[in-house]
Amino acid sequence: MKALVFQGPGRMDWQDVPDPGIEDPADVIVRVDAVTICGTDLHILKGDVPEVTPGRVLGHEAVGTVVETGGDVRSVRPGDRVLVSCISACGRCRFCREGRYGQCRGGGGWILGHLVDGTQAEYVRVPFADLSVHPLPDSIDSSDAVLLADIFPTSYEVGVLNGGVRPGDTVVVVGAGPIGLAAVVTAGFYSPGRVVAVDLAESRRAAARALGADATVNAAEEPEQLVADLTEGLGADVVMEAVGVPEAFEMCTRMVRPGGTVANIGVHGKPAVLHLEDLWIKDVTITTGLVDTSSTPLLLRMAAAGRLPSSSLITHRFELGQMEEAYDVFGRAADTGALKVTLGKA
């Protein structure tokens, strides 16, 4: 089969690799019908995730059709259309029993495209299938559904839920890429008083406004002053970091109110300064996290009911064999205006 293979920092190839096979009775083999590229994949290519070694097939999000199942799989069968979650869960360890699948210690967690071969391929082996793939209703388009493999549960769980968004809150989302935009959407579940999106690119600020942000501001034009003006100098109740760079995180800590929460969603490849000399007295909560995907069934129900505007985040569509072109477009988002790209069969 063809797959996108990581060759080391800055290098990848769409090349022939062996077809995957069943390695454990809990596995399924899925024919990939739709896949997308994540900002985390770009971090891998930069060398920010050293656990990913050369030769690894990248990708951790997909929609596809089950073609083979191991003997222990009970939830799906060949022919079923499924969402492949970015997180795999053994279902037996302490963390899985708590619903914290991202911290699985039984061989799961974030393994696809990280510790085992991933989804940016014609076929993928998915371990622990009963908890790691979700049957899809016919009403959800494959390209739309693939956004529920990672970005929507990540934004909802690591941003909105960790941030503790409540009715009437002032919420600031720093970074209006796909994760930040999904955070804008899912923060709306809790009727915040206002949502402010911060980004350098006007195209992304416009997308945030279209998806429900009440105000937007250029990251280079004193967003902290805008937040202060909107809150009578108090600061935001919840600030979400959705970029993954030190400057963005440090900006978040300056915009949060006393007693508020900074929810870090971004993947960081460099240290950020934690200004405890300013924060120690403010009762600020800072959260971090890897998505668990425990919310995926809820988000799928909302998508099936037409309550999750996932398709509006997709700006570019490619055939599966155009993987390298899709990476180029997604990686140059400032020039191309790309938000989320999807790839599928012709």
Side-chain angles (χ1 to χ4, degrees), residues 24-330:
D24 183 274
D27 292 349
V28 296
I29 306 299
V30 174
R31 185 191 71 225
V32 174
D33 299 326
V35 70
T36 186
I37 302 169
C38 181
T40 304
D41 296 320
L42 300 183
H43 281 281
I44 290 171
L45 283 174
K46 291 178 184 176
D48 290 344
V49 189
E51 299 87 357
V52 181
T53 55
R56 177 69 62 223
V57 175
L58 295 181
H60 50 268
E61 307 159 85
V63 167
T65 304
V66 175
V67 296
E68 187 178 358
T69 62
D72 290 347
V73 176
R74 297 291 179 267
S75 62
V76 295
R77 58 187 179 183
D80 285 350
R81 193 170 69 107
V82 295
L83 173 71
V84 178
S85 176
C86 66
I87 298 295
S88 303
C90 78
R92 298 184 294 272
C93 72
R94 167 185 171 174
F95 291 111
C96 284
R97 288 177 179 271
E98 295 174 356
R100 299 179 64 185
Y101 306 132
Q103 302 302 321
C104 174
R105 290 297 184 267
W110 173 38
I111 55 174
L112 290 174
H114 180 208
L115 305 178
V116 303
D117 286 341
T119 59
Q120 290 170 3
E122 293 178 317
Y123 293 87
V124 60
R125 177 182 73 91
V126 184
F128 307 118
D130 281 333
L131 284 174
S132 306
V133 300
H134 301 268
L136 280 176
D138 292 339
S139 60
I140 305 179
D141 178 78
S142 293
S143 291
D144 295 344
V146 76
L147 302 192
L148 277 69
D150 185 352
I151 69 162
F152 271 100
T154 293
S155 299
Y156 180 55
E157 295 174 18
V158 185
V160 176
L161 295 184
N162 279 2
V165 176
R166 295 178 298 181
D169 277 355
T170 293
V171 176
V172 178
V173 180
V174 177
I179 287 287
L181 293 173
V184 169
V185 171
T186 54
F189 295 172
Y190 295 91
S191 300
R194 62 173 69 87
V195 176
V196 180
V198 181
D199 200 280
L200 289 168
E202 169 53 28
S203 61
R204 294 190 168 196
R205 298 196 300 271
R209 290 191 294 271
L211 289 167
D214 301 287
T216 62
V217 58
N218 190 320
E221 296 178 357
E222 299 186 351
E224 297 157 56
Q225 186 60 54
L226 172 65
V227 172
D229 292 344
L230 290 172
T231 61
E232 298 181 348
L234 186 64
D237 300 285
V238 180
V239 186
M240 304 182 206
E241 199 282 348
V243 184
V245 299
E247 296 82 2
F249 175 80
E250 293 166 32
M251 178 191 296
C252 291
T253 64
R254 293 192 297 269
M255 289 194 291
V256 69
R257 68 164 171 81
T261 300
V262 174
N264 184 85
I265 314 173
V267 177
H268 289 263
K270 297 179 181 179
V273 176
L274 182 62
H275 288 282
L276 286 175
E277 74 278 11
D278 298 323
L279 296 171
W280 73 271
I281 201 169
K282 293 178 66 176
D283 295 349
V284 169
T285 298
I286 297 174
T287 66
T288 66
L290 175 66
V291 65
D292 295 311
T293 66
S294 55
S295 67
T296 301
L298 166 67
L299 295 171
L300 280 170
R301 291 196 299 273
M302 295 192 72
R307 302 296 297 273
L308 206 61
S310 55
S311 61
S312 58
L313 273 69
I314 301 171
T315 54
H316 296 74
R317 299 175 189 267
F318 298 89
E319 295 180 14
L320 198 58
Q322 296 175 293
M323 191 70 70
E324 290 169 311
E325 180 182 348
Y327 260 89
D328 177 64
V329 168
F330 186 62

